[in-house]
Amino acid sequence: MRVGRAVAGVAAVTLVLSLGGHSAGYAAPDPAVAFLTADAGLGYVREMTAGYATAVAEAGVRHTEAGPPIGDTARQLGMLEDLRREGRNGLAVFTWTPELLSGPMAAAGEAGTPVIAVYSPPAEGSGVKLYVGNDNFALGEMLADQVASLLPRDAAGVVVLGTAVPGVQALDQRIAGLRSRLPRVRPGVRLLGPFDTKQDPAANLKSWELLVRSDPRALGFVGTGDRDARSLARLRNQSAGTWIAGGFGLDDIAVQAVRNGGYALVSPEPYVQGAIAGWLLAEHAKRNFPLPAGWIPTPAIPVTPSNAEMIMARQASTKRRADDARVVVRDVVSDLAGHLLPLSAAR
């Protein structure tokens, strides 16, 4: 759901915050927190994990990051059970299948371990009260505007949509945003899909190859995830066609494709998501900082030819990524009341 629809429902929160030096009460003398992810081998998940680990380490809290490489919910369930039994002082979870993990997440909360959902909203049965992640409908609209900027105003034809994990709420919301916005700004464009483009890297590339081959007259091809962005950038670099492409993420090949032209990209800024979740958990574990209840929408940015070089430089520097994220974290935690929305608005 779009952020603007829920602003009126924000409850007042009175908290005094800083990025250090506050004391909210007693906490564990040697706290430890953890971040459990899905698809740990993919670029945007590594970004989330790095942001989380950096924020927690700066707070002086012990931390663990774990997750199956690609699409293994059963293994993620086992890892969650292991982390829960270890009695962590806080747990952040990114999963594509929140309903399947809702039982262990609820059990962790009932046992006194606070749980934060990251990237994907938590299932209602999980008992999780805090979600840190994008307004994915708005991200879809943002990408639609980027795609439209690459097409003539009188463009007429088909844009093919693909998604690497069909049925996942966050990615479905991106599709909904694209569908809502693109036909309004380019009325001659018709959207097909979304087609299942698979999460496995090789299968994803093959899926897009087949889609491009099956509709050579299409105006463009647009995906919902990091893997889609990389595959489409590779195919467009190899193609002699005039079709445009678009996706989400910060894959280096995709960012370079933006610089080359004919490619639209939006970054969900996963490093920042991880950093916000890590800061909140670490401060709660170390100083008993009160975790809010609700949804903290995290920023996204369009990648354009004018800022692509700057983004590539940022991504190449561990220090710069951390410094830039720290500014956003400070802005969020110093005014949680101004950033917090009802959790129901994210579902």
Side-chain angles (χ1 to χ4, degrees):
M1 183 177 293
R2 285 189 289 184
V3 172
R5 299 175 186 171
V7 170
V10 179
V13 180
T14 304
L15 292 170
V16 178
L17 302 166
S18 69
L19 280 180
H22 74 273
S23 178
Y26 174 81
D30 184 26
V33 297
F35 187 20
L36 176 67
T37 71
D39 299 322
L42 296 183
Y44 69 95
V45 183
R46 292 197 299 270
E47 281 282 295
M48 268 194 291
T49 303
Y52 173 90
T54 299
V56 175
E58 288 181 354
V61 173
R62 290 189 294 118
H63 55 97
T64 299
E65 293 77 41
I70 290 182
D72 191 338
T73 299
R75 188 173 175 188
Q76 191 181 32
L77 273 166
M79 290 178 170
L80 177 55
E81 291 286 5
D82 290 342
L83 291 170
R84 185 173 68 83
R85 283 193 293 267
E86 291 171 7
R88 301 281 170 167
N89 303 105
L91 182 61
V93 178
F94 156 54
T95 180
W96 290 123
T97 54
E99 293 81 9
L100 294 179
L101 269 65
S102 63
M105 290 169 75
E110 291 165 3
T113 301
V115 182
I116 296 177
V118 185
Y119 199 90
S120 294
E124 292 187 10
S126 67
V128 175
K129 303 300 184 185
L130 178 59
Y131 165 53
V132 176
N134 296 123
D135 179 348
N136 282 290
F137 187 94
L139 260 68
E141 292 185 311
M142 187 182 295
L143 184 62
D145 286 337
Q146 294 298 105
V147 170
S149 72
L150 302 176
L151 295 171
R153 290 188 177 276
D154 60 352
V158 166
V159 170
V160 178
L161 304 178
T163 184
V165 195
V168 166
Q169 181 179 343
L171 302 187
D172 286 351
Q173 287 178 339
R174 293 178 185 180
I175 291 290
L178 279 159
R179 285 195 170 281
S180 173
R181 180 72 176 163
L182 190 55
R184 281 189 285 139
V185 294
R186 293 294 181 269
V189 171
R190 185 164 56 96
L191 299 176
L192 291 183
F195 297 94
D196 181 1
T197 53
K198 312 299 180 185
Q199 185 75 318
D200 175 77
N204 184 272
L205 180 60
K206 184 65 175 177
S207 296
W208 281 113
E209 285 177 339
L210 291 172
L211 287 171
V212 170
R213 194 181 309 143
S214 68
D215 203 342
R217 296 184 180 180
L219 296 173
F221 300 85
V222 177
T224 61
D226 183 87
R227 182 56 55 188
D228 295 319
R230 183 177 180 85
S231 293
L232 281 169
R234 288 180 61 184
L235 290 173
R236 196 174 188 288
N237 288 342
Q238 298 165 7
S239 172
T242 59
W243 54 271
I244 66 167
F248 297 88
L250 284 168
D251 181 86
D252 55 347
I253 295 178
V255 176
Q256 182 59 52
V258 172
R259 293 184 68 187
N260 295 342
Y263 195 93
L265 189 66
V266 167
S267 168
E269 298 293 89
Y271 190 101
V272 170
Q273 292 180 33
I276 293 172
W279 189 93
L280 290 168
L281 273 188
E283 292 299 311
H284 176 80
K286 189 173 183 178
R287 298 184 176 90
N288 203 25
F289 171 81
L291 293 175
W295 169 29
I296 299 176
T298 56
I301 58 173
V303 182
T304 67
S306 62
N307 69 7
E309 187 171 349
M310 178 274 292
I311 289 174
M312 292 176 75
R314 182 194 71 175
Q315 292 306 109
S317 168
T318 300
K319 181 181 184 301
R320 185 166 172 184
R321 288 194 341 250
D323 289 346
D324 286 2
R326 200 176 294 114
V327 172
V328 181
V329 173
R330 182 180 292 113
D331 175 64
V332 170
V333 303
S334 63
D335 181 23
L336 275 178
H339 289 85
L340 196 66
L341 297 177
L343 185 55
S344 60
R347 291 179 169 140

